[in-house]
PDB file of all heavy atoms in Angstrom:
ATOM      1  N   ASN A  10      94.374  16.458 140.482  1.00  0.00           N
ATOM      2  CA  ASN A  10      95.526  16.635 141.365  1.00  0.00           C
ATOM      3  C   ASN A  10      96.638  17.412 140.668  1.00  0.00           C
ATOM      4  O   ASN A  10      97.235  18.323 141.242  1.00  0.00           O
ATOM      5  CB  ASN A  10      96.056  15.278 141.836  1.00  0.00           C
ATOM      6  CG  ASN A  10      95.507  14.884 143.195  1.00  0.00           C
ATOM      7  OD1 ASN A  10      94.918  15.703 143.892  1.00  0.00           O
ATOM      8  ND2 ASN A  10      95.725  13.644 143.582  1.00  0.00           N
ATOM      9  N   GLU A  11      96.925  17.042 139.446  1.00  0.00           N
ATOM     10  CA  GLU A  11      98.008  17.699 138.717  1.00  0.00           C
ATOM     11  C   GLU A  11      97.681  19.163 138.420  1.00  0.00           C
ATOM     12  O   GLU A  11      98.550  20.045 138.498  1.00  0.00           O
ATOM     13  CB  GLU A  11      98.314  16.933 137.421  1.00  0.00           C
ATOM     14  CG  GLU A  11      98.939  15.561 137.646  1.00  0.00           C
ATOM     15  CD  GLU A  11     100.249  15.634 138.418  1.00  0.00           C
ATOM     16  OE1 GLU A  11     101.012  16.618 138.234  1.00  0.00           O
ATOM     17  OE2 GLU A  11     100.518  14.724 139.223  1.00  0.00           O
ATOM     18  N   LEU A  12      96.423  19.428 138.066  1.00  0.00           N
ATOM     19  CA  LEU A  12      96.014  20.803 137.817  1.00  0.00           C
ATOM     20  C   LEU A  12      96.162  21.645 139.084  1.00  0.00           C
ATOM     21  O   LEU A  12      96.694  22.765 139.052  1.00  0.00           O
ATOM     22  CB  LEU A  12      94.563  20.839 137.326  1.00  0.00           C
ATOM     23  CG  LEU A  12      93.922  22.229 137.212  1.00  0.00           C
ATOM     24  CD1 LEU A  12      94.679  23.102 136.220  1.00  0.00           C
ATOM     25  CD2 LEU A  12      92.448  22.098 136.811  1.00  0.00           C
ATOM     26  N   ILE A  13      95.678  21.106 140.209  1.00  0.00           N
ATOM     27  CA  ILE A  13      95.772  21.830 141.472  1.00  0.00           C
ATOM     28  C   ILE A  13      97.238  22.047 141.859  1.00  0.00           C
ATOM     29  O   ILE A  13      97.628  23.129 142.309  1.00  0.00           O
ATOM     30  CB  ILE A  13      95.016  21.070 142.580  1.00  0.00           C
ATOM     31  CG1 ILE A  13      93.512  21.068 142.278  1.00  0.00           C
ATOM     32  CG2 ILE A  13      95.281  21.689 143.946  1.00  0.00           C
ATOM     33  CD1 ILE A  13      92.718  20.124 143.158  1.00  0.00           C
ATOM     34  N   ALA A  14      98.061  21.006 141.678  1.00  0.00           N
ATOM     35  CA  ALA A  14      99.482  21.120 142.009  1.00  0.00           C
ATOM     36  C   ALA A  14     100.158  22.209 141.184  1.00  0.00           C
ATOM     37  O   ALA A  14     100.997  22.968 141.689  1.00  0.00           O
ATOM     38  CB  ALA A  14     100.187  19.782 141.798  1.00  0.00           C
ATOM     39  N   GLU A  15      99.778  22.309 139.919  1.00  0.00           N
ATOM     40  CA  GLU A  15     100.352  23.339 139.050  1.00  0.00           C
ATOM     41  C   GLU A  15      99.973  24.744 139.547  1.00  0.00           C
ATOM     42  O   GLU A  15     100.822  25.646 139.602  1.00  0.00           O
ATOM     43  CB  GLU A  15      99.851  23.143 137.623  1.00  0.00           C
ATOM     44  CG  GLU A  15     100.413  24.161 136.631  1.00  0.00           C
ATOM     45  CD  GLU A  15      99.889  23.931 135.218  1.00  0.00           C
ATOM     46  OE1 GLU A  15      99.356  22.846 134.940  1.00  0.00           O
ATOM     47  OE2 GLU A  15     100.011  24.869 134.395  1.00  0.00           O
ATOM     48  N   VAL A  16      98.710  24.915 139.940  1.00  0.00           N
ATOM     49  CA  VAL A  16      98.254  26.213 140.442  1.00  0.00           C
ATOM     50  C   VAL A  16      98.992  26.571 141.724  1.00  0.00           C
ATOM     51  O   VAL A  16      99.471  27.705 141.904  1.00  0.00           O
ATOM     52  CB  VAL A  16      96.731  26.189 140.681  1.00  0.00           C
ATOM     53  CG1 VAL A  16      96.275  27.466 141.383  1.00  0.00           C
ATOM     54  CG2 VAL A  16      95.985  26.014 139.367  1.00  0.00           C
ATOM     55  N   LEU A  17      99.105  25.614 142.642  1.00  0.00           N
ATOM     56  CA  LEU A  17      99.750  25.873 143.926  1.00  0.00           C
ATOM     57  C   LEU A  17     101.242  26.148 143.763  1.00  0.00           C
ATOM     58  O   LEU A  17     101.793  27.051 144.400  1.00  0.00           O
ATOM     59  CB  LEU A  17      99.533  24.690 144.867  1.00  0.00           C
ATOM     60  CG  LEU A  17      98.084  24.413 145.278  1.00  0.00           C
ATOM     61  CD1 LEU A  17      98.005  23.172 146.145  1.00  0.00           C
ATOM     62  CD2 LEU A  17      97.468  25.610 146.004  1.00  0.00           C
ATOM     63  N   SER A  18     101.893  25.368 142.926  1.00  0.00           N
ATOM     64  CA  SER A  18     103.332  25.564 142.707  1.00  0.00           C
ATOM     65  C   SER A  18     103.608  26.924 142.091  1.00  0.00           C
ATOM     66  O   SER A  18     104.574  27.606 142.460  1.00  0.00           O
ATOM     67  CB  SER A  18     103.891  24.454 141.816  1.00  0.00           C
ATOM     68  OG  SER A  18     103.766  23.193 142.430  1.00  0.00           O
ATOM     69  N   ARG A  19     102.778  27.327 141.150  1.00  0.00           N
ATOM     70  CA  ARG A  19     102.947  28.629 140.512  1.00  0.00           C
ATOM     71  C   ARG A  19     102.802  29.768 141.525  1.00  0.00           C
ATOM     72  O   ARG A  19     103.428  30.815 141.392  1.00  0.00           O
ATOM     73  CB  ARG A  19     101.934  28.783 139.383  1.00  0.00           C
ATOM     74  CG  ARG A  19     102.152  30.020 138.519  1.00  0.00           C
ATOM     75  CD  ARG A  19     101.274  30.010 137.287  1.00  0.00           C
ATOM     76  NE  ARG A  19      99.869  29.956 137.615  1.00  0.00           N
ATOM     77  CZ  ARG A  19      99.045  28.990 137.220  1.00  0.00           C
ATOM     78  NH1 ARG A  19      99.493  27.987 136.486  1.00  0.00           N
ATOM     79  NH2 ARG A  19      97.761  29.013 137.562  1.00  0.00           N
ATOM     80  N   ALA A  20     101.990  29.525 142.569  1.00  0.00           N
ATOM     81  CA  ALA A  20     101.785  30.538 143.610  1.00  0.00           C
ATOM     82  C   ALA A  20     102.858  30.466 144.693  1.00  0.00           C
ATOM     83  O   ALA A  20     102.802  31.224 145.663  1.00  0.00           O
ATOM     84  CB  ALA A  20     100.409  30.373 144.229  1.00  0.00           C
ATOM     85  N   GLY A  21     103.825  29.549 144.537  1.00  0.00           N
ATOM     86  CA  GLY A  21     104.933  29.471 145.480  1.00  0.00           C
ATOM     87  C   GLY A  21     104.735  28.511 146.630  1.00  0.00           C
ATOM     88  O   GLY A  21     105.526  28.500 147.576  1.00  0.00           O
ATOM     89  N   HIS A  22     103.703  27.652 146.554  1.00  0.00           N
ATOM     90  CA  HIS A  22     103.432  26.698 147.623  1.00  0.00           C
ATOM     91  C   HIS A  22     104.061  25.339 147.317  1.00  0.00           C
ATOM     92  O   HIS A  22     104.523  25.083 146.195  1.00  0.00           O
ATOM     93  CB  HIS A  22     101.927  26.543 147.823  1.00  0.00           C
ATOM     94  CG  HIS A  22     101.232  27.832 148.170  1.00  0.00           C
ATOM     95  ND1 HIS A  22     101.536  28.562 149.287  1.00  0.00           N
ATOM     96  CD2 HIS A  22     100.258  28.534 147.510  1.00  0.00           C
ATOM     97  CE1 HIS A  22     100.784  29.650 149.331  1.00  0.00           C
ATOM     98  NE2 HIS A  22     100.003  29.658 148.254  1.00  0.00           N
ATOM     99  N   ASP A  23     104.052  24.475 148.326  1.00  0.00           N
ATOM    100  CA  ASP A  23     104.620  23.128 148.214  1.00  0.00           C
ATOM    101  C   ASP A  23     103.482  22.112 148.313  1.00  0.00           C
ATOM    102  O   ASP A  23     103.086  21.732 149.417  1.00  0.00           O
ATOM    103  CB  ASP A  23     105.640  22.913 149.336  1.00  0.00           C
ATOM    104  CG  ASP A  23     106.248  21.513 149.312  1.00  0.00           C
ATOM    105  OD1 ASP A  23     106.154  20.830 148.271  1.00  0.00           O
ATOM    106  OD2 ASP A  23     106.824  21.099 150.339  1.00  0.00           O
ATOM    107  N   PRO A  24     102.904  21.666 147.182  1.00  0.00           N
ATOM    108  CA  PRO A  24     101.789  20.722 147.240  1.00  0.00           C
ATOM    109  C   PRO A  24     102.263  19.283 147.436  1.00  0.00           C
ATOM    110  O   PRO A  24     103.267  18.857 146.865  1.00  0.00           O
ATOM    111  CB  PRO A  24     101.125  20.887 145.868  1.00  0.00           C
ATOM    112  CG  PRO A  24     102.231  21.318 144.960  1.00  0.00           C
ATOM    113  CD  PRO A  24     103.190  22.114 145.796  1.00  0.00           C
ATOM    114  N   VAL A  25     101.525  18.532 148.246  1.00  0.00           N
ATOM    115  CA  VAL A  25     101.756  17.101 148.445  1.00  0.00           C
ATOM    116  C   VAL A  25     100.457  16.397 148.062  1.00  0.00           C
ATOM    117  O   VAL A  25      99.402  16.671 148.643  1.00  0.00           O
ATOM    118  CB  VAL A  25     102.131  16.781 149.907  1.00  0.00           C
ATOM    119  CG1 VAL A  25     102.375  15.288 150.073  1.00  0.00           C
ATOM    120  CG2 VAL A  25     103.372  17.582 150.329  1.00  0.00           C
ATOM    121  N   LEU A  26     100.527  15.495 147.073  1.00  0.00           N
ATOM    122  CA  LEU A  26      99.322  14.938 146.464  1.00  0.00           C
ATOM    123  C   LEU A  26      98.952  13.579 147.049  1.00  0.00           C
ATOM    124  O   LEU A  26      99.818  12.727 147.284  1.00  0.00           O
ATOM    125  CB  LEU A  26      99.524  14.800 144.954  1.00  0.00           C
ATOM    126  CG  LEU A  26      99.974  16.069 144.214  1.00  0.00           C
ATOM    127  CD1 LEU A  26     100.092  15.784 142.728  1.00  0.00           C
ATOM    128  CD2 LEU A  26      99.037  17.232 144.478  1.00  0.00           C
ATOM    129  N   PHE A  27      97.637  13.391 147.255  1.00  0.00           N
ATOM    130  CA  PHE A  27      97.092  12.114 147.716  1.00  0.00           C
ATOM    131  C   PHE A  27      95.871  11.776 146.866  1.00  0.00           C
ATOM    132  O   PHE A  27      95.143  12.680 146.437  1.00  0.00           O
ATOM    133  CB  PHE A  27      96.668  12.186 149.185  1.00  0.00           C
ATOM    134  CG  PHE A  27      97.768  12.550 150.137  1.00  0.00           C
ATOM    135  CD1 PHE A  27      97.973  13.873 150.488  1.00  0.00           C
ATOM    136  CD2 PHE A  27      98.599  11.585 150.674  1.00  0.00           C
ATOM    137  CE1 PHE A  27      98.982  14.230 151.369  1.00  0.00           C
ATOM    138  CE2 PHE A  27      99.610  11.916 151.549  1.00  0.00           C
ATOM    139  CZ  PHE A  27      99.808  13.244 151.909  1.00  0.00           C
ATOM    140  N   GLU A  28      95.645  10.470 146.664  1.00  0.00           N
ATOM    141  CA  GLU A  28      94.472  10.035 145.914  1.00  0.00           C
ATOM    142  C   GLU A  28      93.508   9.215 146.771  1.00  0.00           C
ATOM    143  O   GLU A  28      92.429   8.868 146.299  1.00  0.00           O
ATOM    144  CB  GLU A  28      94.901   9.226 144.684  1.00  0.00           C
ATOM    145  CG  GLU A  28      95.659  10.069 143.661  1.00  0.00           C
ATOM    146  CD  GLU A  28      96.020   9.283 142.407  1.00  0.00           C
ATOM    147  OE1 GLU A  28      95.488   8.156 142.228  1.00  0.00           O
ATOM    148  OE2 GLU A  28      96.823   9.796 141.600  1.00  0.00           O
ATOM    149  N   ARG A  29      93.891   8.907 148.019  1.00  0.00           N
ATOM    150  CA  ARG A  29      93.025   8.159 148.921  1.00  0.00           C
ATOM    151  C   ARG A  29      93.029   8.813 150.297  1.00  0.00           C
ATOM    152  O   ARG A  29      94.076   9.242 150.792  1.00  0.00           O
ATOM    153  CB  ARG A  29      93.487   6.698 149.035  1.00  0.00           C
ATOM    154  CG  ARG A  29      93.264   5.869 147.770  1.00  0.00           C
ATOM    155  CD  ARG A  29      91.769   5.661 147.508  1.00  0.00           C
ATOM    156  NE  ARG A  29      91.508   4.836 146.328  1.00  0.00           N
ATOM    157  CZ  ARG A  29      91.380   5.316 145.096  1.00  0.00           C
ATOM    158  NH1 ARG A  29      91.502   6.610 144.879  1.00  0.00           N
ATOM    159  NH2 ARG A  29      91.134   4.508 144.082  1.00  0.00           N
ATOM    160  N   GLY A  30      91.838   8.857 150.898  1.00  0.00           N
ATOM    161  CA  GLY A  30      91.711   9.499 152.198  1.00  0.00           C
ATOM    162  C   GLY A  30      92.549   8.847 153.274  1.00  0.00           C
ATOM    163  O   GLY A  30      93.115   9.522 154.140  1.00  0.00           O
ATOM    164  N   GLU A  31      92.653   7.510 153.246  1.00  0.00           N
ATOM    165  CA  GLU A  31      93.412   6.812 154.271  1.00  0.00           C
ATOM    166  C   GLU A  31      94.887   7.224 154.257  1.00  0.00           C
ATOM    167  O   GLU A  31      95.499   7.450 155.312  1.00  0.00           O
ATOM    168  CB  GLU A  31      93.302   5.293 154.069  1.00  0.00           C
ATOM    169  CG  GLU A  31      91.894   4.726 154.234  1.00  0.00           C
ATOM    170  CD  GLU A  31      91.045   4.823 152.967  1.00  0.00           C
ATOM    171  OE1 GLU A  31      91.493   5.463 151.988  1.00  0.00           O
ATOM    172  OE2 GLU A  31      89.942   4.251 152.956  1.00  0.00           O
ATOM    173  N   ALA A  32      95.452   7.346 153.057  1.00  0.00           N
ATOM    174  CA  ALA A  32      96.862   7.737 152.931  1.00  0.00           C
ATOM    175  C   ALA A  32      97.068   9.174 153.396  1.00  0.00           C
ATOM    176  O   ALA A  32      98.054   9.487 154.082  1.00  0.00           O
ATOM    177  CB  ALA A  32      97.325   7.578 151.482  1.00  0.00           C
ATOM    178  N   ALA A  33      96.148  10.054 153.046  1.00  0.00           N
ATOM    179  CA  ALA A  33      96.270  11.445 153.471  1.00  0.00           C
ATOM    180  C   ALA A  33      96.202  11.562 154.984  1.00  0.00           C
ATOM    181  O   ALA A  33      97.000  12.281 155.601  1.00  0.00           O
ATOM    182  CB  ALA A  33      95.173  12.281 152.824  1.00  0.00           C
ATOM    183  N   LEU A  34      95.280  10.857 155.606  1.00  0.00           N
ATOM    184  CA  LEU A  34      95.144  10.936 157.059  1.00  0.00           C
ATOM    185  C   LEU A  34      96.370  10.388 157.775  1.00  0.00           C
ATOM    186  O   LEU A  34      96.763  10.912 158.828  1.00  0.00           O
ATOM    187  CB  LEU A  34      93.887  10.189 157.503  1.00  0.00           C
ATOM    188  CG  LEU A  34      92.567  10.907 157.220  1.00  0.00           C
ATOM    189  CD1 LEU A  34      91.389   9.966 157.432  1.00  0.00           C
ATOM    190  CD2 LEU A  34      92.432  12.149 158.102  1.00  0.00           C
ATOM    191  N   ARG A  35      96.988   9.356 157.218  1.00  0.00           N
ATOM    192  CA  ARG A  35      98.223   8.849 157.839  1.00  0.00           C
ATOM    193  C   ARG A  35      99.277   9.936 157.906  1.00  0.00           C
ATOM    194  O   ARG A  35      99.942  10.121 158.932  1.00  0.00           O
ATOM    195  CB  ARG A  35      98.750   7.629 157.060  1.00  0.00           C
ATOM    196  CG  ARG A  35      98.068   6.328 157.377  1.00  0.00           C
ATOM    197  CD  ARG A  35      98.881   5.140 156.899  1.00  0.00           C
ATOM    198  NE  ARG A  35      99.068   5.147 155.449  1.00  0.00           N
ATOM    199  CZ  ARG A  35      98.220   4.582 154.589  1.00  0.00           C
ATOM    200  NH1 ARG A  35      97.131   3.980 155.027  1.00  0.00           N
ATOM    201  NH2 ARG A  35      98.460   4.619 153.289  1.00  0.00           N
ATOM    202  N   ASP A  36      99.452  10.677 156.813  1.00  0.00           N
ATOM    203  CA  ASP A  36     100.455  11.751 156.803  1.00  0.00           C
ATOM    204  C   ASP A  36     100.022  12.933 157.670  1.00  0.00           C
ATOM    205  O   ASP A  36     100.853  13.555 158.329  1.00  0.00           O
ATOM    206  CB  ASP A  36     100.709  12.230 155.371  1.00  0.00           C
ATOM    207  CG  ASP A  36     101.884  11.502 154.733  1.00  0.00           C
ATOM    208  OD1 ASP A  36     102.154  10.351 155.144  1.00  0.00           O
ATOM    209  OD2 ASP A  36     102.534  12.073 153.844  1.00  0.00           O
ATOM    210  N   LEU A  37      98.740  13.238 157.678  1.00  0.00           N
ATOM    211  CA  LEU A  37      98.253  14.355 158.493  1.00  0.00           C
ATOM    212  C   LEU A  37      98.417  14.084 159.981  1.00  0.00           C
ATOM    213  O   LEU A  37      98.540  15.024 160.774  1.00  0.00           O
ATOM    214  CB  LEU A  37      96.784  14.630 158.169  1.00  0.00           C
ATOM    215  CG  LEU A  37      96.532  15.324 156.830  1.00  0.00           C
ATOM    216  CD1 LEU A  37      95.092  15.115 156.378  1.00  0.00           C
ATOM    217  CD2 LEU A  37      96.831  16.818 156.942  1.00  0.00           C
ATOM    218  N   ARG A  38      98.416  12.818 160.371  1.00  0.00           N
ATOM    219  CA  ARG A  38      98.640  12.475 161.781  1.00  0.00           C
ATOM    220  C   ARG A  38     100.112  12.591 162.167  1.00  0.00           C
ATOM    221  O   ARG A  38     100.434  12.743 163.342  1.00  0.00           O
ATOM    222  CB  ARG A  38      98.155  11.046 162.062  1.00  0.00           C
ATOM    223  CG  ARG A  38      96.644  10.867 161.977  1.00  0.00           C
ATOM    224  CD  ARG A  38      96.219   9.480 162.417  1.00  0.00           C
ATOM    225  NE  ARG A  38      94.794   9.287 162.261  1.00  0.00           N
ATOM    226  CZ  ARG A  38      94.230   8.582 161.282  1.00  0.00           C
ATOM    227  NH1 ARG A  38      94.987   7.993 160.376  1.00  0.00           N
ATOM    228  NH2 ARG A  38      92.918   8.458 161.213  1.00  0.00           N
ATOM    229  N   ARG A  39     101.008  12.502 161.173  1.00  0.00           N
ATOM    230  CA  ARG A  39     102.449  12.480 161.464  1.00  0.00           C
ATOM    231  C   ARG A  39     103.124  13.819 161.280  1.00  0.00           C
ATOM    232  O   ARG A  39     104.172  14.071 161.865  1.00  0.00           O
ATOM    233  CB  ARG A  39     103.152  11.460 160.551  1.00  0.00           C
ATOM    234  CG  ARG A  39     102.813  10.010 160.815  1.00  0.00           C
ATOM    235  CD  ARG A  39     103.862   9.110 160.178  1.00  0.00           C
ATOM    236  NE  ARG A  39     104.039   9.390 158.762  1.00  0.00           N
ATOM    237  CZ  ARG A  39     103.493   8.674 157.790  1.00  0.00           C
ATOM    238  NH1 ARG A  39     102.718   7.652 158.083  1.00  0.00           N
ATOM    239  NH2 ARG A  39     103.692   8.988 156.530  1.00  0.00           N
ATOM    240  N   GLN A  40     102.559  14.683 160.442  1.00  0.00           N
ATOM    241  CA  GLN A  40     103.239  15.937 160.141  1.00  0.00           C
ATOM    242  C   GLN A  40     102.240  17.055 159.928  1.00  0.00           C
ATOM    243  O   GLN A  40     101.042  16.833 159.779  1.00  0.00           O
ATOM    244  CB  GLN A  40     104.134  15.782 158.919  1.00  0.00           C
ATOM    245  CG  GLN A  40     103.423  15.339 157.658  1.00  0.00           C
ATOM    246  CD  GLN A  40     104.383  15.193 156.491  1.00  0.00           C
ATOM    247  OE1 GLN A  40     105.090  16.144 156.150  1.00  0.00           O
ATOM    248  NE2 GLN A  40     104.424  14.021 155.896  1.00  0.00           N
ATOM    249  N   THR A  41     102.773  18.270 159.947  1.00  0.00           N
ATOM    250  CA  THR A  41     101.938  19.469 159.840  1.00  0.00           C
ATOM    251  C   THR A  41     101.803  19.910 158.397  1.00  0.00           C
ATOM    252  O   THR A  41     102.785  19.995 157.666  1.00  0.00           O
ATOM    253  CB  THR A  41     102.567  20.620 160.650  1.00  0.00           C
ATOM    254  OG1 THR A  41     102.700  20.205 162.016  1.00  0.00           O
ATOM    255  CG2 THR A  41     101.702  21.865 160.582  1.00  0.00           C
ATOM    256  N   PHE A  42     100.572  20.192 157.996  1.00  0.00           N
ATOM    257  CA  PHE A  42     100.291  20.847 156.723  1.00  0.00           C
ATOM    258  C   PHE A  42      99.604  22.171 157.026  1.00  0.00           C
ATOM    259  O   PHE A  42      98.853  22.293 157.987  1.00  0.00           O
ATOM    260  CB  PHE A  42      99.394  19.979 155.839  1.00  0.00           C
ATOM    261  CG  PHE A  42     100.076  18.773 155.269  1.00  0.00           C
ATOM    262  CD1 PHE A  42     100.062  17.562 155.953  1.00  0.00           C
ATOM    263  CD2 PHE A  42     100.736  18.841 154.055  1.00  0.00           C
ATOM    264  CE1 PHE A  42     100.698  16.444 155.434  1.00  0.00           C
ATOM    265  CE2 PHE A  42     101.375  17.730 153.524  1.00  0.00           C
ATOM    266  CZ  PHE A  42     101.358  16.526 154.216  1.00  0.00           C
ATOM    267  N   ASP A  43      99.866  23.168 156.198  1.00  0.00           N
ATOM    268  CA  ASP A  43      99.263  24.482 156.402  1.00  0.00           C
ATOM    269  C   ASP A  43      97.849  24.565 155.858  1.00  0.00           C
ATOM    270  O   ASP A  43      97.075  25.439 156.263  1.00  0.00           O
ATOM    271  CB  ASP A  43     100.134  25.561 155.738  1.00  0.00           C
ATOM    272  CG  ASP A  43     101.519  25.614 156.350  1.00  0.00           C
ATOM    273  OD1 ASP A  43     101.612  25.856 157.563  1.00  0.00           O
ATOM    274  OD2 ASP A  43     102.511  25.394 155.615  1.00  0.00           O
ATOM    275  N   LEU A  44      97.500  23.669 154.945  1.00  0.00           N
ATOM    276  CA  LEU A  44      96.177  23.694 154.318  1.00  0.00           C
ATOM    277  C   LEU A  44      95.905  22.336 153.700  1.00  0.00           C
ATOM    278  O   LEU A  44      96.835  21.652 153.255  1.00  0.00           O
ATOM    279  CB  LEU A  44      96.127  24.792 153.240  1.00  0.00           C
ATOM    280  CG  LEU A  44      94.823  24.995 152.459  1.00  0.00           C
ATOM    281  CD1 LEU A  44      93.700  25.437 153.386  1.00  0.00           C
ATOM    282  CD2 LEU A  44      95.019  26.019 151.345  1.00  0.00           C
ATOM    283  N   LEU A  45      94.638  21.943 153.688  1.00  0.00           N
ATOM    284  CA  LEU A  45      94.204  20.730 152.997  1.00  0.00           C
ATOM    285  C   LEU A  45      93.162  21.113 151.961  1.00  0.00           C
ATOM    286  O   LEU A  45      92.145  21.733 152.281  1.00  0.00           O
ATOM    287  CB  LEU A  45      93.599  19.727 153.986  1.00  0.00           C
ATOM    288  CG  LEU A  45      92.866  18.518 153.378  1.00  0.00           C
ATOM    289  CD1 LEU A  45      93.826  17.665 152.540  1.00  0.00           C
ATOM    290  CD2 LEU A  45      92.206  17.682 154.482  1.00  0.00           C
ATOM    291  N   LEU A  46      93.435  20.764 150.692  1.00  0.00           N
ATOM    292  CA  LEU A  46      92.448  20.881 149.624  1.00  0.00           C
ATOM    293  C   LEU A  46      91.801  19.513 149.466  1.00  0.00           C
ATOM    294  O   LEU A  46      92.479  18.540 149.129  1.00  0.00           O
ATOM    295  CB  LEU A  46      93.110  21.325 148.315  1.00  0.00           C
ATOM    296  CG  LEU A  46      93.211  22.849 148.100  1.00  0.00           C
ATOM    297  CD1 LEU A  46      93.994  23.506 149.218  1.00  0.00           C
ATOM    298  CD2 LEU A  46      93.834  23.166 146.764  1.00  0.00           C
ATOM    299  N   LEU A  47      90.515  19.442 149.712  1.00  0.00           N
ATOM    300  CA  LEU A  47      89.823  18.167 149.894  1.00  0.00           C
ATOM    301  C   LEU A  47      88.673  18.001 148.924  1.00  0.00           C
ATOM    302  O   LEU A  47      87.729  18.809 148.910  1.00  0.00           O
ATOM    303  CB  LEU A  47      89.310  18.094 151.340  1.00  0.00           C
ATOM    304  CG  LEU A  47      88.453  16.896 151.720  1.00  0.00           C
ATOM    305  CD1 LEU A  47      89.246  15.591 151.618  1.00  0.00           C
ATOM    306  CD2 LEU A  47      87.908  17.079 153.144  1.00  0.00           C
ATOM    307  N   ASP A  48      88.730  16.940 148.117  1.00  0.00           N
ATOM    308  CA  ASP A  48      87.615  16.593 147.237  1.00  0.00           C
ATOM    309  C   ASP A  48      86.511  15.948 148.074  1.00  0.00           C
ATOM    310  O   ASP A  48      86.783  15.220 149.034  1.00  0.00           O
ATOM    311  CB  ASP A  48      88.112  15.622 146.156  1.00  0.00           C
ATOM    312  CG  ASP A  48      87.054  15.331 145.115  1.00  0.00           C
ATOM    313  OD1 ASP A  48      86.157  16.176 144.913  1.00  0.00           O
ATOM    314  OD2 ASP A  48      87.116  14.254 144.494  1.00  0.00           O
ATOM    315  N   TRP A  49      85.274  16.201 147.706  1.00  0.00           N
ATOM    316  CA  TRP A  49      84.147  15.635 148.461  1.00  0.00           C
ATOM    317  C   TRP A  49      83.881  14.193 148.029  1.00  0.00           C
ATOM    318  O   TRP A  49      83.836  13.276 148.845  1.00  0.00           O
ATOM    319  CB  TRP A  49      82.908  16.494 148.241  1.00  0.00           C
ATOM    320  CG  TRP A  49      81.695  16.092 149.033  1.00  0.00           C
ATOM    321  CD1 TRP A  49      81.292  14.832 149.357  1.00  0.00           C
ATOM    322  CD2 TRP A  49      80.736  16.984 149.604  1.00  0.00           C
ATOM    323  NE1 TRP A  49      80.142  14.869 150.084  1.00  0.00           N
ATOM    324  CE2 TRP A  49      79.772  16.172 150.261  1.00  0.00           C
ATOM    325  CE3 TRP A  49      80.585  18.367 149.614  1.00  0.00           C
ATOM    326  CZ2 TRP A  49      78.669  16.735 150.926  1.00  0.00           C
ATOM    327  CZ3 TRP A  49      79.488  18.913 150.263  1.00  0.00           C
ATOM    328  CH2 TRP A  49      78.555  18.100 150.916  1.00  0.00           C
TER     329      TRP A  49
END
């Protein structure tokens, strides 16, 4: 997560980090994200 956040921030993006699918889906239902980077 930290490595990905560093890459995204350096490219000028605003990363929001999650470690559990349930937490990510709660936020995705409430607000708009432009992209999801998803571990399998």
Side-chain angles (χ1 to χ4, degrees):
N10 264 347
E11 291 301 325
L12 172 61
I13 294 169
E15 181 180 344
V16 172
L17 296 177
S18 297
R19 188 171 59 239
H22 301 300
D23 178 18
V25 180
L26 307 182
F27 301 93
E28 294 183 12
R29 290 292 182 271
E31 296 84 352
L34 285 168
R35 279 197 298 271
D36 267 27
L37 286 160
R38 292 186 183 104
R39 292 198 306 260
Q40 58 181 304
T41 302
F42 288 91
D43 298 300
L44 180 63
L45 169 62
L46 271 59
L47 175 64
D48 186 26
W49 184 324

